[in-house]
Amino acid sequence: MSSSIERVLENLRAGRGQQVLCAATAGAALPLGVEVYVNHYSGSFANKWMWVPVGLLPALGFAGLAGIRSERAARTALPAMALLTVATGGLGTLLHGRGISRKPGGLSEVPYNIVTGPPLLAPGSLTLVGAIGLLAAVMRRERW
């Protein structure tokens, strides 16, 4: 057990962490996709853009899983999906901000509307998971 932990630490110190970050991306993207689906479902998918992260997060998760097995996938499919996820997170933050401003009272009732409106910082989780995927693409492959 300790030798495998030592091997992981040795790989990370040498800048080799591609498979670990691919696994982290997949491990975060798939459950996040479920959470996004549940929250957007409760919002009745009122805006067609609400479907984008629901479809994109499983694709990112599967690209992360592919990146664990294949360095080629980690350098092609994963960064493409990760970049789309980062962009979607930025767009989601803007759309959530617009949703807050459209609540009754608009921006004059910001404290109330932030609590009752769409969660302003929730799309940031997409951005962070996408950033992990982008980081995985530039890391070197581990030596086992």
Side-chain angles (χ1 to χ4, degrees):
M1 176 73 172
S2 64
S3 66
S4 60
I5 292 172
E6 289 171 6
R7 176 63 72 178
V8 169
L9 290 175
E10 179 183 320
N11 277 325
L12 290 174
R13 285 186 193 112
R16 296 185 300 263
Q18 188 177 67
Q19 290 173 306
V20 169
L21 290 175
C22 286
T25 301
L30 297 172
L32 181 60
V34 172
E35 185 210 356
V36 169
Y37 175 79
V38 168
N39 285 314
H40 285 179
Y41 179 82
S42 71
S44 301
F45 288 97
N47 186 327
K48 65 182 176 184
W49 286 102
M50 294 170 92
W51 284 102
V52 174
V54 170
L56 189 60
L57 282 166
L60 177 67
F62 289 123
L65 289 174
I68 295 170
R69 304 271 297 155
S70 164
E71 185 174 4
R72 184 175 185 185
R75 300 232 183 262
T76 57
L78 182 59
M81 290 290 105
L83 190 59
L84 285 172
T85 304
V86 168
T88 301
L91 177 64
T93 302
L94 292 173
L95 291 174
H96 280 211
R98 185 181 77 168
I100 290 169
S101 71
R102 289 182 168 183
K103 297 289 284 178
L107 296 177
S108 64
E109 296 290 334
V110 170
Y112 178 75
N113 287 339
I114 283 182
V115 173
T116 61
L120 183 61
L121 300 178
S125 58
L126 269 74
T127 305
L128 291 174
V129 172
I132 295 169
L134 289 173
L135 185 59
V138 299
M139 294 288 281
R140 290 184 293 163
R141 200 84 173 161
E142 289 92 339
R143 293 186 186 148
W144 302 106

mmCIF file of all heavy atoms in Angstrom, residues 105-140:
data_model
loop_
_atom_site.group_PDB
_atom_site.id
_atom_site.type_symbol
_atom_site.label_atom_id
_atom_site.label_comp_id
_atom_site.label_asym_id
_atom_site.label_seq_id
_atom_site.Cartn_x
_atom_site.Cartn_y
_atom_site.Cartn_z
ATOM 1 N N GLY A 105 -38.017 42.586 -8.600
ATOM 2 C CA GLY A 105 -37.168 43.544 -7.899
ATOM 3 C C GLY A 105 -35.812 43.695 -8.554
ATOM 4 O O GLY A 105 -35.088 44.653 -8.291
ATOM 5 N N GLY A 106 -35.448 42.731 -9.390
ATOM 6 C CA GLY A 106 -34.202 42.816 -10.146
ATOM 7 C C GLY A 106 -32.980 42.985 -9.277
ATOM 8 O O GLY A 106 -32.848 42.392 -8.212
ATOM 9 N N LEU A 107 -32.074 43.843 -9.716
ATOM 10 C CA LEU A 107 -30.818 44.051 -9.000
ATOM 11 C C LEU A 107 -30.971 44.929 -7.759
ATOM 12 O O LEU A 107 -30.041 45.031 -6.970
ATOM 13 C CB LEU A 107 -29.773 44.635 -9.952
ATOM 14 C CG LEU A 107 -29.384 43.706 -11.104
ATOM 15 C CD1 LEU A 107 -28.394 44.394 -12.035
ATOM 16 C CD2 LEU A 107 -28.811 42.402 -10.586
ATOM 17 N N SER A 108 -32.146 45.540 -7.585
ATOM 18 C CA SER A 108 -32.352 46.319 -6.363
ATOM 19 C C SER A 108 -32.629 45.411 -5.168
ATOM 20 O O SER A 108 -32.556 45.852 -4.023
ATOM 21 C CB SER A 108 -33.500 47.322 -6.547
ATOM 22 O OG SER A 108 -34.719 46.627 -6.752
ATOM 23 N N GLU A 109 -32.954 44.161 -5.424
ATOM 24 C CA GLU A 109 -33.215 43.182 -4.363
ATOM 25 C C GLU A 109 -32.198 42.030 -4.438
ATOM 26 O O GLU A 109 -32.554 40.862 -4.310
ATOM 27 C CB GLU A 109 -34.637 42.630 -4.505
ATOM 28 C CG GLU A 109 -35.726 43.640 -4.331
ATOM 29 C CD GLU A 109 -35.847 44.125 -2.901
ATOM 30 O OE1 GLU A 109 -35.462 43.376 -1.977
ATOM 31 O OE2 GLU A 109 -36.303 45.258 -2.711
ATOM 32 N N VAL A 110 -30.932 42.380 -4.636
ATOM 33 C CA VAL A 110 -29.897 41.364 -4.851
ATOM 34 C C VAL A 110 -29.825 40.335 -3.724
ATOM 35 O O VAL A 110 -29.802 39.130 -3.999
ATOM 36 C CB VAL A 110 -28.522 42.021 -5.110
ATOM 37 C CG1 VAL A 110 -27.414 40.992 -5.096
ATOM 38 C CG2 VAL A 110 -28.546 42.750 -6.432
ATOM 39 N N PRO A 111 -29.789 40.716 -2.450
ATOM 40 C CA PRO A 111 -29.666 39.678 -1.409
ATOM 41 C C PRO A 111 -30.795 38.646 -1.466
ATOM 42 O O PRO A 111 -30.557 37.445 -1.340
ATOM 43 C CB PRO A 111 -29.713 40.468 -0.094
ATOM 44 C CG PRO A 111 -29.268 41.837 -0.464
ATOM 45 C CD PRO A 111 -29.762 42.058 -1.861
ATOM 46 N N TYR A 112 -32.007 39.092 -1.698
ATOM 47 C CA TYR A 112 -33.138 38.169 -1.766
ATOM 48 C C TYR A 112 -33.085 37.340 -3.048
ATOM 49 O O TYR A 112 -33.314 36.124 -3.028
ATOM 50 C CB TYR A 112 -34.456 38.949 -1.693
ATOM 51 C CG TYR A 112 -35.674 38.061 -1.810
ATOM 52 C CD1 TYR A 112 -36.079 37.272 -0.737
ATOM 53 C CD2 TYR A 112 -36.396 37.992 -2.994
ATOM 54 C CE1 TYR A 112 -37.184 36.448 -0.835
ATOM 55 C CE2 TYR A 112 -37.501 37.164 -3.101
ATOM 56 C CZ TYR A 112 -37.884 36.394 -2.024
ATOM 57 O OH TYR A 112 -38.972 35.572 -2.125
ATOM 58 N N ASN A 113 -32.787 37.985 -4.156
ATOM 59 C CA ASN A 113 -32.813 37.283 -5.439
ATOM 60 C C ASN A 113 -31.665 36.296 -5.605
ATOM 61 O O ASN A 113 -31.797 35.316 -6.326
ATOM 62 C CB ASN A 113 -32.831 38.283 -6.595
ATOM 63 C CG ASN A 113 -34.181 38.962 -6.719
ATOM 64 O OD1 ASN A 113 -35.183 38.453 -6.240
ATOM 65 N ND2 ASN A 113 -34.216 40.105 -7.358
ATOM 66 N N ILE A 114 -30.548 36.535 -4.940
ATOM 67 C CA ILE A 114 -29.452 35.563 -4.990
ATOM 68 C C ILE A 114 -29.869 34.283 -4.268
ATOM 69 O O ILE A 114 -29.535 33.184 -4.708
ATOM 70 C CB ILE A 114 -28.154 36.152 -4.404
ATOM 71 C CG1 ILE A 114 -27.537 37.089 -5.438
ATOM 72 C CG2 ILE A 114 -27.175 35.059 -4.010
ATOM 73 C CD1 ILE A 114 -26.243 37.706 -5.022
ATOM 74 N N VAL A 115 -30.634 34.418 -3.193
ATOM 75 C CA VAL A 115 -31.078 33.251 -2.436
ATOM 76 C C VAL A 115 -32.177 32.502 -3.183
ATOM 77 O O VAL A 115 -32.190 31.269 -3.221
ATOM 78 C CB VAL A 115 -31.563 33.675 -1.031
ATOM 79 C CG1 VAL A 115 -32.195 32.513 -0.292
ATOM 80 C CG2 VAL A 115 -30.417 34.253 -0.231
ATOM 81 N N THR A 116 -33.103 33.219 -3.801
ATOM 82 C CA THR A 116 -34.250 32.569 -4.441
ATOM 83 C C THR A 116 -34.036 32.272 -5.921
ATOM 84 O O THR A 116 -34.760 31.478 -6.501
ATOM 85 C CB THR A 116 -35.510 33.450 -4.307
ATOM 86 O OG1 THR A 116 -35.286 34.702 -4.968
ATOM 87 C CG2 THR A 116 -35.859 33.673 -2.861
ATOM 88 N N GLY A 117 -33.047 32.893 -6.543
ATOM 89 C CA GLY A 117 -32.808 32.700 -7.970
ATOM 90 C C GLY A 117 -31.860 31.555 -8.249
ATOM 91 O O GLY A 117 -31.522 30.770 -7.363
ATOM 92 N N PRO A 118 -31.414 31.454 -9.488
ATOM 93 C CA PRO A 118 -30.458 30.390 -9.821
ATOM 94 C C PRO A 118 -29.141 30.601 -9.072
ATOM 95 O O PRO A 118 -28.728 31.744 -8.859
ATOM 96 C CB PRO A 118 -30.267 30.542 -11.329
ATOM 97 C CG PRO A 118 -30.775 31.881 -11.685
ATOM 98 C CD PRO A 118 -31.741 32.290 -10.637
ATOM 99 N N PRO A 119 -28.487 29.538 -8.654
ATOM 100 C CA PRO A 119 -27.244 29.684 -7.884
ATOM 101 C C PRO A 119 -26.139 30.291 -8.750
ATOM 102 O O PRO A 119 -25.722 29.705 -9.735
ATOM 103 C CB PRO A 119 -26.908 28.259 -7.455
ATOM 104 C CG PRO A 119 -27.653 27.388 -8.400
ATOM 105 C CD PRO A 119 -28.851 28.139 -8.853
ATOM 106 N N LEU A 120 -25.682 31.457 -8.360
ATOM 107 C CA LEU A 120 -24.744 32.224 -9.171
ATOM 108 C C LEU A 120 -23.408 31.518 -9.357
ATOM 109 O O LEU A 120 -22.824 31.555 -10.439
ATOM 110 C CB LEU A 120 -24.522 33.609 -8.552
ATOM 111 C CG LEU A 120 -23.626 34.557 -9.322
ATOM 112 C CD1 LEU A 120 -24.214 34.844 -10.702
ATOM 113 C CD2 LEU A 120 -23.430 35.855 -8.555
ATOM 114 N N LEU A 121 -22.918 30.866 -8.335
ATOM 115 C CA LEU A 121 -21.585 30.269 -8.415
ATOM 116 C C LEU A 121 -21.595 28.788 -8.798
ATOM 117 O O LEU A 121 -20.534 28.194 -8.970
ATOM 118 C CB LEU A 121 -20.855 30.456 -7.081
ATOM 119 C CG LEU A 121 -20.660 31.916 -6.670
ATOM 120 C CD1 LEU A 121 -19.967 31.991 -5.321
ATOM 121 C CD2 LEU A 121 -19.879 32.670 -7.717
ATOM 122 N N ALA A 122 -22.762 28.190 -8.976
ATOM 123 C CA ALA A 122 -22.829 26.768 -9.329
ATOM 124 C C ALA A 122 -22.129 26.446 -10.649
ATOM 125 O O ALA A 122 -21.433 25.427 -10.732
ATOM 126 C CB ALA A 122 -24.279 26.300 -9.356
ATOM 127 N N PRO A 123 -22.254 27.268 -11.690
ATOM 128 C CA PRO A 123 -21.549 26.929 -12.933
ATOM 129 C C PRO A 123 -20.024 26.935 -12.785
ATOM 130 O O PRO A 123 -19.325 26.364 -13.614
ATOM 131 C CB PRO A 123 -21.991 28.015 -13.914
ATOM 132 C CG PRO A 123 -23.287 28.500 -13.382
ATOM 133 C CD PRO A 123 -23.164 28.400 -11.894
ATOM 134 N N GLY A 124 -19.529 27.535 -11.737
ATOM 135 C CA GLY A 124 -18.092 27.511 -11.485
ATOM 136 C C GLY A 124 -17.568 26.097 -11.283
ATOM 137 O O GLY A 124 -16.409 25.810 -11.581
ATOM 138 N N SER A 125 -18.428 25.197 -10.804
ATOM 139 C CA SER A 125 -17.994 23.807 -10.640
ATOM 140 C C SER A 125 -17.703 23.175 -12.000
ATOM 141 O O SER A 125 -16.775 22.364 -12.125
ATOM 142 C CB SER A 125 -19.034 23.002 -9.871
ATOM 143 O OG SER A 125 -20.280 23.040 -10.533
ATOM 144 N N LEU A 126 -18.441 23.545 -13.031
ATOM 145 C CA LEU A 126 -18.137 23.068 -14.381
ATOM 146 C C LEU A 126 -16.770 23.577 -14.813
ATOM 147 O O LEU A 126 -15.972 22.832 -15.391
ATOM 148 C CB LEU A 126 -19.188 23.563 -15.376
ATOM 149 C CG LEU A 126 -20.384 22.679 -15.634
ATOM 150 C CD1 LEU A 126 -21.337 22.717 -14.473
ATOM 151 C CD2 LEU A 126 -21.051 23.092 -16.912
ATOM 152 N N THR A 127 -16.533 24.854 -14.545
ATOM 153 C CA THR A 127 -15.261 25.459 -14.929
ATOM 154 C C THR A 127 -14.094 24.752 -14.244
ATOM 155 O O THR A 127 -13.070 24.470 -14.883
ATOM 156 C CB THR A 127 -15.268 26.960 -14.578
ATOM 157 O OG1 THR A 127 -16.404 27.566 -15.210
ATOM 158 C CG2 THR A 127 -14.008 27.646 -15.041
ATOM 159 N N LEU A 128 -14.254 24.442 -12.973
ATOM 160 C CA LEU A 128 -13.172 23.776 -12.234
ATOM 161 C C LEU A 128 -12.921 22.355 -12.723
ATOM 162 O O LEU A 128 -11.766 21.947 -12.891
ATOM 163 C CB LEU A 128 -13.486 23.774 -10.737
ATOM 164 C CG LEU A 128 -13.438 25.140 -10.063
ATOM 165 C CD1 LEU A 128 -13.906 25.034 -8.622
ATOM 166 C CD2 LEU A 128 -12.048 25.718 -10.124
ATOM 167 N N VAL A 129 -13.982 21.606 -12.994
ATOM 168 C CA VAL A 129 -13.801 20.237 -13.492
ATOM 169 C C VAL A 129 -13.165 20.271 -14.880
ATOM 170 O O VAL A 129 -12.283 19.481 -15.195
ATOM 171 C CB VAL A 129 -15.143 19.476 -13.491
ATOM 172 C CG1 VAL A 129 -15.018 18.133 -14.186
ATOM 173 C CG2 VAL A 129 -15.636 19.283 -12.077
ATOM 174 N N GLY A 130 -13.592 21.232 -15.709
ATOM 175 C CA GLY A 130 -12.970 21.385 -17.026
ATOM 176 C C GLY A 130 -11.504 21.763 -16.919
ATOM 177 O O GLY A 130 -10.671 21.289 -17.692
ATOM 178 N N ALA A 131 -11.177 22.606 -15.944
ATOM 179 C CA ALA A 131 -9.778 23.007 -15.752
ATOM 180 C C ALA A 131 -8.913 21.814 -15.342
ATOM 181 O O ALA A 131 -7.759 21.705 -15.774
ATOM 182 C CB ALA A 131 -9.689 24.116 -14.705
ATOM 183 N N ILE A 132 -9.465 20.905 -14.554
ATOM 184 C CA ILE A 132 -8.713 19.698 -14.196
ATOM 185 C C ILE A 132 -8.429 18.877 -15.451
ATOM 186 O O ILE A 132 -7.332 18.354 -15.638
ATOM 187 C CB ILE A 132 -9.477 18.861 -13.147
ATOM 188 C CG1 ILE A 132 -9.595 19.627 -11.833
ATOM 189 C CG2 ILE A 132 -8.793 17.516 -12.914
ATOM 190 C CD1 ILE A 132 -10.544 18.987 -10.838
ATOM 191 N N GLY A 133 -9.415 18.781 -16.334
ATOM 192 C CA GLY A 133 -9.219 18.056 -17.587
ATOM 193 C C GLY A 133 -8.178 18.704 -18.472
ATOM 194 O O GLY A 133 -7.370 18.022 -19.107
ATOM 195 N N LEU A 134 -8.171 20.041 -18.528
ATOM 196 C CA LEU A 134 -7.150 20.742 -19.310
ATOM 197 C C LEU A 134 -5.766 20.524 -18.723
ATOM 198 O O LEU A 134 -4.781 20.352 -19.454
ATOM 199 C CB LEU A 134 -7.458 22.238 -19.381
ATOM 200 C CG LEU A 134 -8.648 22.637 -20.254
ATOM 201 C CD1 LEU A 134 -8.949 24.123 -20.099
ATOM 202 C CD2 LEU A 134 -8.376 22.295 -21.702
ATOM 203 N N LEU A 135 -5.681 20.531 -17.398
ATOM 204 C CA LEU A 135 -4.399 20.283 -16.744
ATOM 205 C C LEU A 135 -3.905 18.870 -17.028
ATOM 206 O O LEU A 135 -2.713 18.661 -17.255
ATOM 207 C CB LEU A 135 -4.526 20.526 -15.240
ATOM 208 C CG LEU A 135 -3.258 20.431 -14.413
ATOM 209 C CD1 LEU A 135 -2.213 21.424 -14.902
ATOM 210 C CD2 LEU A 135 -3.565 20.683 -12.948
ATOM 211 N N ALA A 136 -4.821 17.913 -17.056
ATOM 212 C CA ALA A 136 -4.433 16.529 -17.355
ATOM 213 C C ALA A 136 -3.823 16.421 -18.744
ATOM 214 O O ALA A 136 -2.883 15.645 -18.961
ATOM 215 C CB ALA A 136 -5.644 15.602 -17.246
ATOM 216 N N ALA A 137 -4.321 17.215 -19.675
ATOM 217 C CA ALA A 137 -3.839 17.133 -21.056
ATOM 218 C C ALA A 137 -2.391 17.602 -21.195
ATOM 219 O O ALA A 137 -1.683 17.143 -22.092
ATOM 220 C CB ALA A 137 -4.735 17.954 -21.966
ATOM 221 N N VAL A 138 -1.949 18.476 -20.321
ATOM 222 C CA VAL A 138 -0.583 18.995 -20.441
ATOM 223 C C VAL A 138 0.411 18.273 -19.532
ATOM 224 O O VAL A 138 1.611 18.487 -19.654
ATOM 225 C CB VAL A 138 -0.525 20.523 -20.177
ATOM 226 C CG1 VAL A 138 -1.362 21.266 -21.189
ATOM 227 C CG2 VAL A 138 -0.930 20.858 -18.763
ATOM 228 N N MET A 139 -0.099 17.420 -18.655
ATOM 229 C CA MET A 139 0.794 16.652 -17.776
ATOM 230 C C MET A 139 1.423 15.497 -18.545
ATOM 231 O O MET A 139 0.889 15.031 -19.546
ATOM 232 C CB MET A 139 0.015 16.083 -16.583
ATOM 233 C CG MET A 139 -0.518 17.123 -15.626
ATOM 234 S SD MET A 139 0.736 17.905 -14.634
ATOM 235 C CE MET A 139 1.011 16.666 -13.402
ATOM 236 N N ARG A 140 2.555 15.040 -18.037
ATOM 237 C CA ARG A 140 3.198 13.853 -18.615
ATOM 238 C C ARG A 140 2.551 12.596 -18.044
ATOM 239 O O ARG A 140 1.987 12.612 -16.962
ATOM 240 C CB ARG A 140 4.694 13.867 -18.326
ATOM 241 C CG ARG A 140 5.423 14.959 -19.101
ATOM 242 C CD ARG A 140 6.895 14.892 -18.889
ATOM 243 N NE ARG A 140 7.184 15.240 -17.476
ATOM 244 C CZ ARG A 140 8.321 14.971 -16.869
ATOM 245 N NH1 ARG A 140 9.286 14.354 -17.487
ATOM 246 N NH2 ARG A 140 8.509 15.321 -15.617
#
